[in-house]
Amino acid sequence: MEQAFAEAEAVKGKTLPNPAVGAVLVRKGKVVGRGGTRPAGQAHAEVVALAAAGEAARGATLYVTLEPCCHYGRTPPCTLALIDAGVAKVVVACADPNPLVGGQGIAQLRRAGIVVETGLLSERGEAFYAGFFFWVRHGRPRIVLKIAQTLDGRINERRGVETALTGPAARAFAHGLRARADAVLVGGRTLRCDDPDLTPREVAGATPPDVLILTRKGRPDPKMRVFSKRRGSRTVLIGPRKAQVPAWVDCEPLEGKAPLARELLEVFRRRGYHEVLVEGGRGVWTPFLEAGLCDELYLLTAPRLLPRGERWDAELGPGWVKPLEFHRFTPLGEDLLAEFRRPVSHLDRG
């Protein structure tokens, strides 16, 4: 199953709006086939593994990170492919909450005489598919905010100045959030000030998320790191309709016909994202918090004071925190992480 998750990690971000699934076929103690889900409309992980195994799939055991589908969509059901191939046993990490599957895939395999076991590495699966599960259950992407501040609520020494606040443990935590997300959203001013690469470089084997840049300027500097072809993910400029960007950069124009957070949510939906990490700056955090469209807030506090600079909450009204509940404090080196979550009872479909 560890190898199956490695296959899933390798295709993360390349299968949207489908989940990234990994599968490994084992017969007589040897791996005879493996694979990850192909881009939408192409073969799922189980079918890729079956094709690699050929006749060796008969009597084999399949390890798969998510319950095999049992319905016709862009591709035929994976359950039928497994039955036809003569697979003897299927081990599933997590059931699929999609109403079109929802345990029916497992039931169909069992009716065909295939032994099915569930729950192996299920905690890892729940974490890996957290965004997908949220998307299925609530009809929209999960929105996660990460904010770093000082004890007095400052996010920099002064406006427009790059300021490193938190230490290595907090940075590693932030990279874990990037590895989990399908996309990271930043503002144009943060991009120009910090020139971040926005990759989860401290998480081994992680796929870089797409980078979404919210900006009013149509001519960002193409030499910035997020515009590199070597990133291994897409870069998307959200803003002016006639933006001048490198040919490999996507553009999503804003129409201004809805509140900013709602309009951005539609961009996320169109691109099939299950989870989006909002990294800042203040002009990007504020619309989501004011609109009540923050599902998780990670507030990192560094043990220092700054005499001046921007406060991260300077533009927020008094009711911004109402939809969120405090979850826990966690020390991260010298820094302190506070987690806030939106209760399920407060969730809507955005």
Side-chain angles (χ1 to χ4, degrees):
M1 190 63 80
E2 289 280 2
Q3 294 184 45
F5 272 108
E7 295 290 334
E9 289 278 5
V11 297
K12 189 177 187 304
K14 302 173 184 176
T15 66
L16 298 171
N18 295 334
V21 178
V24 173
L25 274 165
V26 177
R27 184 180 180 186
K28 296 181 179 180
K30 294 183 179 180
V31 173
V32 294
R34 63 173 72 232
T37 300
R38 298 293 186 252
Q42 300 181 35
H44 292 186
E46 300 92 324
V47 175
V48 175
L50 288 172
E55 285 301 315
R58 191 163 299 278
T61 296
L62 175 78
Y63 294 85
V64 64
T65 56
L66 191 67
E67 178 181 3
C69 67
C70 55
H71 62 285
Y72 284 88
R74 296 185 185 181
T75 58
C78 291
T79 50
L80 295 184
L82 293 170
I83 293 168
D84 291 344
V87 170
K89 182 177 178 180
V90 175
V91 183
V92 178
C94 289
D96 188 340
N98 185 338
L100 295 173
V101 186
Q104 298 175 72
I106 292 171
Q108 188 178 58
L109 293 173
R110 285 174 172 161
R111 286 195 301 269
I114 296 175
V115 176
V116 181
E117 294 181 1
T118 62
L120 182 61
L121 297 188
S122 60
E123 290 187 3
R124 179 169 177 179
E126 290 286 341
F128 185 78
Y129 292 114
F132 171 67
F133 290 172
F134 186 98
W135 180 74
V136 168
R137 290 164 178 154
H138 304 294
R140 65 170 178 82
R142 183 167 68 169
I143 309 300
V144 178
L145 271 65
K146 189 272 293 182
I147 300 172
Q149 65 165 356
T150 60
L151 289 170
D152 48 353
R154 310 289 185 184
I155 56 176
N156 52 36
E157 293 183 4
R158 65 180 182 275
R159 183 183 174 93
V161 174
E162 180 182 5
T163 308
L165 298 178
T166 52
R171 183 172 60 249
F173 173 79
H175 286 204
L177 295 180
R178 291 177 186 172
R180 193 180 76 180
D182 299 311
V184 176
L185 175 68
V186 296
R189 185 157 64 91
T190 296
L191 190 72
R192 292 188 295 273
C193 176
D194 299 349
D195 189 20
D197 70 0
L198 299 174
T199 61
R201 56 191 179 276
E202 294 192 16
V203 180
T207 301
D210 285 3
V211 172
L212 311 179
I213 304 161
L214 178 64
T215 180
R216 294 184 178 89
K217 296 187 176 182
R219 297 190 181 194
D221 185 352
K223 295 180 181 179
M224 290 180 174
R225 288 187 285 179
V226 295
F227 294 116
S228 170
K229 280 186 175 181
R230 296 189 298 272
R231 280 188 50 81
S233 63
R234 293 176 292 270
T235 300
V236 184
L237 191 74
I238 305 174
R241 184 174 291 276
K242 295 183 179 180
Q244 297 183 13
V245 295
W248 59 89
V249 175
D250 295 346
C251 289
E252 289 278 359
L254 290 179
E255 303 296 337
K257 297 178 180 178
L260 180 57
R262 296 284 173 176
E263 198 165 358
L264 289 170
L265 190 64
E266 290 307 311
V267 172
F268 304 159
R269 278 177 166 146
R270 283 199 301 271
R271 303 193 72 87
Y273 298 136
H274 300 155
E275 180 169 317
V276 176
L277 174 63
V278 181
E279 287 214 17
R282 190 176 65 188
V284 185
W285 298 318
T286 300
F288 288 99
L289 291 170
E290 288 282 17
L293 282 174
C294 172
D295 301 301
E296 292 183 358
L297 169 62
Y298 294 97
L299 188 59
L300 292 156
T301 302
R304 58 184 295 193
L305 299 170
L306 289 173
R308 61 183 184 274
E310 294 180 281
R311 288 186 57 89
W312 70 269
D313 57 353
E315 298 177 358
L316 288 169
W320 72 269
V321 76
K322 190 174 181 180
L324 296 170
E325 288 185 354
F326 172 75
H327 178 55
R328 64 184 174 187
F329 284 119
T330 305
L332 293 176
E334 295 183 350
D335 306 314
L336 185 65
L337 170 67
E339 298 179 43
F340 299 83
R341 296 180 178 176
R342 191 178 188 193
V344 173
S345 59
H346 291 183
L347 285 166
D348 57 27
R349 298 183 70 84

